[in-house]
Amino acid sequence: MNKILLVGKTGSGKTSLIQGLQDQKIIHKKTQAITFSGMFVDSPGEFLENRRLYPALMTSSVNCNIVALVQDSTVINSVFPPKFSSMFKKKIIGIITKVDKESSNPERAEKFLRRAGAEEIIRTSAIDKTGLELLRLSLT
């Protein structure tokens, strides 16, 4: 079974995405520490937002097969630096979240993820389930 590390900014929808993929009730909560849920490793947004914490992301990825870069489609910027994915020797995918929102701009989010090094990109919504089945297939 694949293990997947989700990396993204605080509030990008990593935890909600996991809940949606596991057919759980969506409960918005702030992840305070690395959390394990089945095949998913959920990282706090601060691990990406603070470069001094990058080693925690690298350590968290050791037993993972896939690193998923998660980008909120409603925000106008990204905290992923160019070629961010090069620190991981794993399959890298990009997940665009919140595509159901009126302010969503998935094209902009895709540009951010490609610049960070995502090889495959999937557009999703944990709320209306857009893209979740495609993402499940991609993660197996």
Side-chain angles (χ1 to χ4, degrees), residues 4-126:
I4 298 96
L5 172 64
L6 279 83
V7 179
K9 184 177 174 178
T10 301
S12 63
K14 299 178 300 292
T15 303
S16 297
L17 183 64
I18 292 170
Q19 292 168 347
L21 287 165
Q22 294 179 332
D23 294 321
Q24 298 173 354
K25 181 179 178 183
I26 304 296
I27 300 170
H28 302 289
K29 62 179 183 172
K30 168 72 181 82
T31 301
Q32 298 293 330
I34 290 289
T35 305
F36 301 89
S37 182
M39 64 193 286
F40 300 102
V41 180
D42 190 3
S43 66
E46 290 83 2
F47 284 19
L48 172 64
E49 297 160 0
N50 185 337
R51 289 178 186 252
R52 290 183 299 144
L53 298 176
Y54 282 7
L57 287 174
M58 292 172 61
T59 301
S60 299
S61 76
V62 168
N63 292 321
C64 295
N65 310 85
I66 300 171
V67 174
L69 309 181
V70 180
Q71 177 68 43
D72 179 345
S73 66
T74 67
V75 298
I76 62 170
N77 59 13
S78 177
V79 293
F80 290 111
K83 307 289 184 205
F84 173 78
S85 67
S86 65
M87 78 168 84
F88 305 102
K89 302 299 180 217
K90 312 284 180 180
K91 176 181 177 182
I92 306 295
I93 66 168
I95 302 173
I96 300 172
T97 57
K98 305 180 187 180
V99 298
D100 60 312
K101 302 281 186 178
E102 189 174 318
S103 60
S104 174
N105 186 333
E107 292 79 19
R108 177 181 55 217
E110 184 168 338
K111 287 179 186 175
F112 293 146
L113 290 171
R114 293 235 183 259
R115 185 182 67 194
E119 300 162 2
E120 172 186 0
I121 296 177
I122 300 170
R123 297 176 183 199
T124 67
S125 167

